[in-house]
Amino acid sequence: LLLNSSIEAMTSYINSSIQNNIFYIEFFTPKHNALNSNMLDQLANKIEETPEQCAVIVLSSGGDRTFCAGASFDELSQIKNQEEATLFFNGFAKVILSIKACPQIVLVSVQGKAVGGGVGIIAAADYAIALENAALKLSELNIGIGPFVIAPAIVKKSGINVLTEMSLNPDNFYSAKWTKQKGLFHKVCENQSDLKITTNNFANKLASFNVNALKAMKHVFWENTEHWPELLEKRAETSGSLVLEKAVQDKIRTILSKS
């Protein structure tokens, strides 16, 4: 209880630093790294503001149990109309599109479980290195919506069958081993120390390559996604219309009352 209380008292942050032409970004919120609209905006802006001399972005989260629990249910419960709802679901769209648009290779280090929008961030990253207990879940159908905004990133990385499997089984966490087999993770590490070393070594290796070649490869990785801004906007509208339904709002309030 004391540990949980100390965690709850901690302040949300998005920190960044530069080492060896690598831009490190770390985000944290006390509630399992769930992200509200403000944090999502900050994260997208931080990615977009990556210094030009940096060839690689390493994206990670604080804490040692959860990479990202998706969107903030506290904020989700306060939505009153379609405009607010669409704006809310556009939060993860902004992060995904910032990863797509930046010229740097984005390497994500996943130290724990990820749910919903957190899976979308992992899927959008160009390369993912994870801890062996970093299971993933798409839980959206359990509250009456769906992973509409993040779906294109998952399909791009791992195909429609992976999206189908995960989204239609919203109670299931999928292991890092399964996730690696399906292409969402590229490397899986045994412990935190191994994860940190593997991530830093790979980032430094990437940073040693020809920057122009890396930028050209980034362009190849994201070919045929020029329509994504409009697509994700429409997906956000779909999620927004569903979340306004009374049954969905009741479900969200029930979940919050138990948390």
Side-chain angles (χ1 to χ4, degrees):
L1 290 176
L2 289 176
L3 177 60
N4 289 337
S5 296
S6 65
I7 291 174
E8 288 294 322
M10 294 178 70
T11 303
S12 301
Y13 64 79
I14 295 178
N15 292 334
S16 62
S17 63
I18 300 175
Q19 297 178 33
N20 301 328
N21 290 333
I22 301 166
F23 194 50
Y24 290 88
I25 303 173
E26 181 179 286
F27 64 89
F28 172 80
T29 71
K31 292 191 175 181
H32 306 290
N33 289 325
L35 297 169
N36 60 31
S37 294
N38 183 51
M39 289 286 288
L40 288 165
D41 278 344
Q42 290 183 51
L43 182 56
N45 290 338
K46 183 68 71 173
I47 293 169
E48 292 171 2
E49 294 165 3
T50 300
E52 187 175 348
Q53 73 269 23
C54 293
V56 182
I57 297 171
V58 173
L59 181 61
S60 63
S61 62
D64 59 1
R65 294 184 60 187
T66 308
F67 171 73
C68 178
S72 167
F73 270 44
D74 290 328
E75 185 176 357
L76 193 60
S77 67
Q78 301 300 315
I79 290 174
K80 303 301 183 188
N81 55 56
Q82 181 68 49
E83 183 179 358
E84 290 180 0
T86 300
L87 187 64
F88 176 85
F89 286 105
N90 259 324
F92 276 98
K94 289 180 181 178
V95 174
I96 291 170
L97 293 173
S98 70
I99 292 172
K100 162 181 151 52
C102 76
Q104 292 84 6
I105 299 296
V106 177
L107 169 61
V108 64
S109 178
V110 186
Q111 90 294 7
K113 292 181 177 179
V115 179
V119 179
I121 292 176
I122 293 167
D126 300 301
Y127 203 92
I129 301 176
L131 202 60
E132 63 182 3
N133 66 350
L136 307 184
K137 178 166 72 170
L138 296 180
S139 60
E140 286 86 346
L141 282 177
N142 274 335
I143 64 170
I145 59 175
F148 302 109
V149 171
I150 65 173
I154 295 171
V155 172
K156 170 183 172 292
K157 185 65 65 68
S158 296
I160 191 66
N161 285 342
V162 169
L163 175 65
T164 303
E165 170 66 28
M166 295 181 71
S167 62
L168 297 185
N169 292 282
D171 293 323
N172 292 1
F173 269 105
Y174 290 86
S175 71
K177 180 180 179 181
W178 183 91
T179 304
K180 183 176 183 295
Q181 290 173 343
K182 303 302 180 181
L184 281 170
F185 291 157
H186 295 90
K187 294 181 181 179
V188 174
C189 303
E190 293 183 358
N191 53 59
Q192 292 279 4
S193 177
D194 185 29
L195 176 65
K196 183 176 181 179
I197 292 170
T198 301
T199 300
N200 288 337
N201 285 348
F202 190 69
N204 277 284
K205 182 178 181 180
L206 290 177
S208 72
F209 296 150
N210 183 328
V211 174
N212 291 328
L214 286 176
K215 289 180 179 179
M217 286 307 305
K218 173 81 178 215
H219 182 75
V220 170
F221 296 157
W222 288 90
E223 281 181 340
N224 303 316
T225 60
E226 295 82 4
H227 63 295
W228 275 30
E230 295 79 15
L231 174 63
L232 298 193
E233 173 73 21
K234 290 180 180 178
R235 297 290 179 83
E237 291 175 359
T238 300
S239 293
S241 64
L242 289 170
V243 83
L244 292 172
E245 294 179 4
K246 184 180 183 301
V248 177
Q249 286 294 314
D250 290 344
K251 181 70 172 180
I252 291 169
R253 283 191 285 270
T254 298
I255 292 171
L256 284 173
S257 70
K258 296 178 180 178
S259 61

